[in-house]
Amino acid sequence: MPGKALILVENLSVPFDRRVWQECTTLRDAGWEVHVICPQGMKRDTEPEAAIDGVHIHRYPLKAATGGPAGYLQEYGSALWHTFRLARRVGPVDVVHACNPPDLLFLVARMLKRRGAKFVFDQHDLVPELYLSRFDRGKDLLYRGVCALERATYRAADVVIATNESYRDVALTRGGKRPEDVFVVRSAPVVERFHHVPPEPDLKRGKPNMLCYLGVMGPQDGVDYALRALAKLRDDLDRTDWHAVFVGSGDAFDAMVALSRELRLDDQVEFTGRIPDADLIRYLSTADVCLAPDPMNPLNDVSTMNKIMEYMAMRRPIVSFDLREARVSAGEAAVYAPPNDELEFAKLTARLLDDPAERERMGDLGAERVAGPLSWANSASTLLEAYDATRR
């Protein structure tokens, strides 16, 4: 029989974290009593306690890190203290399900394991690769520290959930886990959230074409590559028949706005920040081409990008750099520039702008993938298999 599950999240609030919320509702529907510990949001998910659709959510105040690794140490220390505090309040559970980053939540899981819980490690990111990609400090002492924390998390975990086959391979090799204890639960868009509305030509600001970026804007997310590619689209390819919209936020947001001004893109590039779903759907329904400029680095090559999945759910054609997991996700729904080649990225963007029929074909292929092999229905059944494995 299902029991009581506690899901630990540090980097996003719930239900704003779409993947975690899908996991919560899947477990709830299977009969589990689901509790979540997560940070409070800034503009939403602000209540310390909430019961939403049968899921019990316990939130704590958290100031996001700024600057270098020292800021993250302060953030993670605060989050860990609050998570311990709230986990004691929740009481004994059958399964503790920790979502990284950071790879510190195993400490809470170990406490709960002493009370009889099983530990499911939900590996959203490869933190050693994230460290290398974000901070450009090489394999220094802090890098060796995050590697040690990852090893400790793997050792403590009874079951590991990986977001794709590349992450599963890491769990088997670097983590030393048994194949029967590692499950691939891919992130998938909530199809009901993504539905077409009539395009709004006014959003194109008088241009015949619109380009759209959706996602987080951190140092490793490639918004700077997209902006430089757009400058090449204008300067090298003599194309000014487009307006670009960047939807989302992150700790590189201000720097990206400044880079846009430096590249003299102010009149053609719009930054919206985070926006309500209804406005997001308006922009994606109007966009002609969507951008996935994540550069090649140790993390991005093996990570599944949510933006690609969401573009496909909206039947949008995609321009991406040629990354291993980008190809696994998008297939023929994207065109691929050589890694980090901004001019080729610009050329592929221009090619798609000139070929409406190809854009439609690619959009249809992407929608079929999201509704079929990459759908959450498949991931949900694997999630429940992973929970069943904790009872072996």
Side-chain angles (χ1 to χ4, degrees), residues 365-380:
L365 287 172
E368 290 170 8
R369 290 177 66 74
V370 167
L374 304 182
S375 70
W376 178 253
N378 294 325
S379 294

Side-chain angles (χ1 to χ4, degrees), residues 64-75:
T66 57
Y72 283 89
L73 291 174
Q74 183 176 2
E75 174 190 330

Side-chain angles (χ1 to χ4, degrees), residues 158-333:
D158 298 291
V159 167
V160 175
I161 291 174
T163 56
N164 58 39
E165 291 291 344
S166 295
Y167 278 30
R168 183 174 190 270
D169 288 344
V170 172
L172 297 177
T173 54
R174 197 161 78 200
K177 305 305 291 184
R178 301 183 306 169
E180 60 268 30
D181 293 332
V182 185
F183 297 81
V184 175
V185 178
R186 295 184 63 89
S187 296
V190 181
V191 176
E192 297 77 17
R193 180 187 177 213
F194 294 94
H195 57 277
H196 276 275
V197 298
E200 299 182 33
D202 288 349
L203 295 178
K204 297 185 177 185
R205 301 287 182 90
K207 301 291 185 178
N209 300 300
M210 191 171 93
L211 311 173
C212 190
Y213 171 91
L214 164 64
V216 176
M217 298 185 190
Q220 74 276 16
D221 294 305
V223 176
D224 54 334
Y225 283 83
L227 292 171
R228 289 190 293 267
L230 293 180
K232 293 180 185 299
L233 181 63
R234 177 196 61 197
D235 299 335
D236 294 37
L237 304 180
D238 198 27
R239 297 290 296 262
T240 59
D241 57 341
W242 50 269
H243 176 67
V245 178
F246 286 75
V247 179
S249 189
D251 52 7
F253 180 87
D254 292 340
M256 294 303 99
V257 173
L259 178 60
S260 175
R261 295 194 189 105
E262 181 183 326
L263 294 170
R264 296 178 293 105
L265 289 168
D266 321 41
D267 59 337
Q268 286 190 262
V269 172
E270 172 186 357
F271 290 87
T272 69
R274 286 182 178 167
I275 57 176
D277 280 358
D279 290 329
L280 169 62
I281 295 304
R282 292 169 56 228
Y283 282 111
L284 290 177
S285 294
T286 304
D288 298 286
V289 174
C290 286
L291 309 177
D294 309 270
M296 169 70 80
N297 60 38
L299 179 68
N300 289 347
D301 191 42
V302 294
S303 297
T304 299
M305 303 300 171
N306 288 336
K307 66 173 73 68
I308 287 179
M309 307 295 293
E310 292 169 348
Y311 295 156
M312 291 194 294
M314 288 296 295
R315 295 181 179 270
R316 299 297 90 184
I318 304 160
V319 182
S320 172
F321 288 123
D322 196 355
L323 308 180
R324 184 193 321 176
E325 285 295 336
R327 279 192 179 271
V328 170
S329 295
E332 294 184 44

Side-chain angles (χ1 to χ4, degrees), residues 69-70 73 131 137 139-147:
L73 291 174
Y131 180 85
R137 294 164 58 101
K139 297 183 178 181
D140 62 358
L141 180 62
L142 278 174
Y143 171 80
R144 295 193 292 274
V146 298
C147 288

Side-chain angles (χ1 to χ4, degrees), residues 340-390:
N340 306 356
D341 189 327
E342 295 155 358
L343 180 57
E344 286 301 315
F345 195 97
K347 288 179 178 178
L348 290 175
T349 302
R351 193 180 90 191
L352 288 182
L353 290 179
D354 291 336
D355 196 342
E358 177 65 0
R359 297 202 306 263
E360 184 174 0
R361 184 189 75 86
M362 292 169 63
D364 289 344
L365 287 172
E368 290 170 8
R369 290 177 66 74
V370 167
L374 304 182
S375 70
W376 178 253
N378 294 325
S379 294
S381 73
T382 309
L383 173 65
L384 297 178
E385 287 176 24
Y387 266 61
D388 287 342
T390 63

Side-chain angles (χ1 to χ4, degrees), residues 53-112:
D53 296 339
V55 176
H56 309 277
I57 305 174
H58 315 266
R59 303 190 185 109
Y60 54 85
L62 185 66
K63 182 179 179 181
T66 57
Y72 283 89
L73 291 174
Q74 183 176 2
E75 174 190 330
Y76 293 157
S78 174
L80 194 61
W81 183 84
H82 283 293
T83 302
F84 268 113
R85 173 178 63 84
L86 292 170
R88 291 189 182 96
R89 182 186 302 176
V90 171
V93 297
D94 298 288
V95 173
V96 53
H97 175 152
C99 307
N100 81 331
D103 288 339
L104 285 168
L105 297 175
F106 79 94
L107 295 169
V108 182
R110 282 202 315 200
M111 176 189 75
L112 296 172

